Amino acid sequence: MVSIQAPEVRNSGSQYLRSNARTPEIVSPNQELLPLTAKVNSRDCLEIGGCDVTTLVEQFGSPLYILDEETLRTACRQYQDGFKRYYGGEFEVVYASKAWNCIAVCAIAAAEGLAIDVVSGGELYTASVAGVPGEKLYFHGNNKSRDELQLAIAIGSTIMVDNWLELKTLAELSQLPNSVSKTRIMLRVTPGIDCHTHEYIRTGHLDNKFGFDPDQMEEVLAFVSQQPTLSCIGLHAHIGSQIFELQAHRDLPEVMVQWFKKAAAMGLPVECINVGGGLGICYTESDDPPSIDEWVKTVSLALKAACETQQVRLPKLMCEPGRSLIGPACVTAYTLGSRKEVPGIRTYLAVDGGMSDNPRPITYQSVYRCVVANRMSEPITEKVTIAGKHCESGDVLIKDALLPKTEAGDILVVMATGAYNYSMASNYNRVPRPAAVLVKDGEANIILQRESYKDITRSDRLPERLRLDAARVN
């Protein structure tokens, strides 16, 4: 065991709780590690949404995604309240559902007045099943199939056009006899703006797979202006994800307004500028992202200033937050299992999940924090590495986690797991994907059923000749 002395950090869990002096109305969820409703109960256990996490694990098993409805709804409202306060023109907040796309999450976002951004036929179908109308759906993607485009047209969603092949395919499909009179599109522009984040989630610089480059745009606009069945309602750009700096978001509107002005001059019915998303969240106590309010204010004032400078009417301002809405609203609960001590080097604690339910550490080298849900006030005594159960040496969720002394069967909670955990989950090693519960006011509801072994083999097929081979062997 590697013991530590940490007098400055007295507790393993309570240090991450929101101060009681700060009410949810003035707290930006993306600046918190735990959901807004998190507290420690009389049993020294973590509660979220009025539900004891250890009781949730007893009831629903582990690993378990626990989504706090109040935190998600608060973030949705803060975006909308900010635009009302700072922009003054028409706006629309669009949930980037690739962060976590399921029927319940789409339904909550839609109930809060948000539109939904999807990036595949599967996400489009899910949002539609959740009851989101076509006019509130925006379909992204750099290589949409013909079938996906036809589905999007049939549903009535706005299609975010990413490249020439897609644009020409849409021009063809929109003229088919069963198509709507006009297919709504927006054009994705690569703005040439870089930002400081992981290279895999930077999307605004020129060398990336998304969008039309600036030197293509005049030809693209000219082509669209000649398509009577396409209605180009605006322009879109996205500079990246998990961004803490505001300067790139200040720079983007000026670029977008230039192209918006050109599009309008060419007779296109442009109404919207979509500045994407990208606001970061806290994964560790050292992370310091801007608040939702600060981000909205920055974008709003920058777009208003660019429009004033270039003498352009205020467009409908759209944005696409994903991580900053859903990320802080969820935690993942695991059950601790085996312990391996390498004297003088490292202590490993294994959990009953890992890279199949959270691939971000092994993919992006992402860093997380954790607490022991049933030992929230016990002092820290050791530094450990949290290892997953998969047959992969890189399956490590957290290195050098500071925890109290633990035992097998304790419940470990990893914080801020709402974004790109479930949505990137897999069946690696044929491990079933976890369940997810939605918690609010002491009530917990399943929103994703835990997979079974039967679910994992549902798509498997055994050719008859292999059955015969097996019979001969036996």
Side-chain angles (χ1 to χ4, degrees), residues 198 283 334 354-369 386 394-399 414 417 419-421 424:
H198 194 285
Y283 286 106
Y334 302 93
M355 62 184 288
S356 64
D357 58 75
N358 183 359
R360 295 189 69 253
I362 197 170
T363 305
Y364 302 118
Q365 298 76 53
S366 300
V367 180
Y368 285 86
R369 292 290 184 261
I386 307 301
D395 182 23
V396 170
L397 290 177
I398 305 173
K399 292 181 179 179
V414 177
T417 58
Y420 307 104
N421 279 224
M424 296 178 71

Side-chain angles (χ1 to χ4, degrees), residues 236-294:
H236 168 273
H238 180 66
I239 59 175
S241 186
Q242 187 58 4
I243 302 169
F244 288 3
E245 298 175 353
L246 290 172
Q247 188 57 50
H249 297 291
R250 292 189 185 99
D251 296 338
L252 179 60
E254 183 177 354
V255 175
M256 297 301 290
V257 169
Q258 291 173 3
W259 288 113
F260 184 87
K261 187 175 183 179
K262 286 187 178 182
M266 297 177 74
L268 296 177
V270 287
E271 303 169 352
C272 314
I273 288 181
N274 187 328
V275 296
L279 176 60
I281 70 172
C282 285
Y283 286 106
T284 74
E285 60 277 10
S286 62
D287 289 336
D288 187 25
S291 68
I292 292 173
D293 188 78
E294 289 175 296

Side-chain angles (χ1 to χ4, degrees), residues 120-165:
S120 71
E123 288 187 356
L124 179 63
Y125 177 79
T126 300
S128 183
V129 169
V132 183
E135 62 269 19
K136 298 285 281 185
L137 292 170
Y138 295 85
F139 187 22
H140 285 270
N142 71 305
N143 193 30
K144 306 176 189 75
S145 71
R146 192 178 182 90
D147 286 345
E148 287 177 321
L149 291 173
Q150 288 177 312
L151 176 62
I153 291 171
I155 288 175
S157 67
T158 300
I159 300 170
M160 319 299 276
V161 181
D162 201 272
N163 53 68
W164 272 112
L165 175 63

